[in-house]
Amino acid sequence: MGFTAKEKTLIKTFFATISDKTQEIGHQSLARTIVVYPQTKTYFAHWKDLSPNSPNVKKHGYTVVKGLMDAVDMIDDLVGGLLPLSELHAFRLRIDPANFKILIHNMLVVLAIMYPNEFTPKVHVTLDKYCAKVALALSDKYR
């Protein structure tokens, strides 16, 4: 099932609201993931510093959240639009797709903390749906 016009508008509007904090959201989301789910550190073993405030955690967290926000432009064809990232994660990085869901969960927690008034139940359920579809699209080449 795709997205309704209202859902698309809600996602775009919320992302516009949080766009000035993308770096902080990404950093906090990935830092939380690495601390709460230490098994995810294995995918970043090539980094010298895996502490929550390391430059690599900050940079990659931003990259992930920025990518999630940019994917809105491909909302009607996430599988096709995210094909290069799906191939990268499946064939080169070999990331277990379950980790996409872990990171998304942590990002939703961070958003709820940082935006308690804007992160309404409606926004939560819509972003959860969107993120689940992005995770599914990123997992496409695993099948």
Side-chain angles (χ1 to χ4, degrees), residues 62-72 74 82 85 130 134:
Y62 169 76
T63 299
V64 170
V65 173
K66 179 83 167 82
L68 190 65
M69 292 171 74
D70 290 346
V72 171
M74 308 164 211
L82 297 175
L85 282 176
Y130 171 71
V134 168

Side-chain angles (χ1 to χ4, degrees), residues 18-29:
I18 68 169
S19 65
D20 63 327
K21 299 274 188 179
T22 306
Q23 194 157 6
E24 183 179 351
I25 293 163
H27 168 220
Q28 293 299 322
S29 299

Side-chain angles (χ1 to χ4, degrees), residues 11 15 24 47 54 58 62 64 73 88 90 92 97 106 113 120 140:
I11 293 165
F15 281 168
E24 183 179 351
W47 293 350
S54 77
K58 290 178 182 181
Y62 169 76
V64 170
D73 293 336
L88 172 70
R92 186 165 155 240
N106 284 292
I113 292 168
T120 64
D140 189 66

Side-chain angles (χ1 to χ4, degrees), residues 8 22 31 61 69 73 78 84 93 103 108 113 126 133-134 138:
K8 290 176 188 179
T22 306
M69 292 171 74
D73 293 336
L78 289 169
L93 301 175
L103 182 56
L108 293 175
I113 292 168
T126 305
K133 288 193 177 283
V134 168
L138 287 174

Side-chain angles (χ1 to χ4, degrees), residues 37-110:
Y37 299 90
Q39 71 272 22
T40 60
K41 289 181 182 181
T42 62
Y43 298 105
F44 306 106
H46 57 286
W47 293 350
K48 291 181 181 176
D49 182 3
L50 276 170
S51 65
N53 287 316
S54 77
N56 285 327
V57 171
K58 290 178 182 181
K59 182 180 180 221
H60 190 64
Y62 169 76
T63 299
V64 170
V65 173
K66 179 83 167 82
L68 190 65
M69 292 171 74
D70 290 346
V72 171
D73 293 336
M74 308 164 211
I75 199 165
D76 293 318
D77 183 19
L78 289 169
V79 172
L82 297 175
L83 181 63
L85 282 176
S86 180
E87 290 174 338
L88 172 70
H89 286 85
F91 302 131
R92 186 165 155 240
L93 301 175
R94 299 178 191 260
I95 306 294
D96 180 346
N99 289 292
F100 302 145
K101 293 177 185 177
I102 291 171
L103 182 56
I104 287 167
H105 169 76
N106 284 292
M107 185 194 70
L108 293 175
V109 169
V110 169

